[in-house]
Structures are given as structure tokens and as C-alpha cells.
Amino acid sequence: QPAWPAPMFQALGKPHAPIFEEGLARVGVGEAVMVGDQPATDVKGALAMGLDVALVGTGVAGDDVALADAPTWRLSSLSG
């Protein structure tokens, strides 16, 4: 019987690159801004891809959370 190769694991979700690469490919642009509310996934992943990132304070992060990775912008909310 032939030996089967061991399966390979590929992390797909944020903050891993494949999800950001696929998003950029689907919208057909080379530059984008990630808008998110989670520092550990949204900010970290976007910065690792070289993207600007706007962290929204109404979500998981809150307005006054200390961050290991600084977003490009901090927004209090998405409403006007």
C-alpha cells in the first residue's frame, strides 16, 4: 500500500494571512483599510499584512484598552 502524506494544517482565520489575502483578492485592490473591533485578530492581522487598521471602540476593545499593536486609527464608533 502507498504511504499517504501527513495532512497539512493551514490556519485560515484572523489574524492569519490567508484570510486577508483572500479579502484583498476578492475586492480587487492592493491597498485597503481593515475596520475591526478586536486587537488580537483585526489589528494584529492587518498590521502583519501591511494594511492600515481602524480599531472601533464600541466592540471588544473598548475605547481605553492598552494595545500591544497600535492601530493606524482609533474610532469611538462607526456612527456619525
Side-chain angles (χ1 to χ4, degrees), residues 6-7 13 17 20 29 34-35 37-38 42 45 50-54 57 59 67 73 75:
F20 290 93
V29 299
M34 170 67 184
V35 178
D37 67 347
Q38 298 186 36
D42 301 330
L51 299 173
D52 287 337
V53 58
L67 302 174
W73 301 280
L75 307 175

Side-chain angles (χ1 to χ4, degrees), residues 6-20:
M8 239 176 73
F9 175 76
Q10 176 66 50
L12 298 176
K14 295 179 294 183
H16 305 289
I19 196 165
F20 290 93

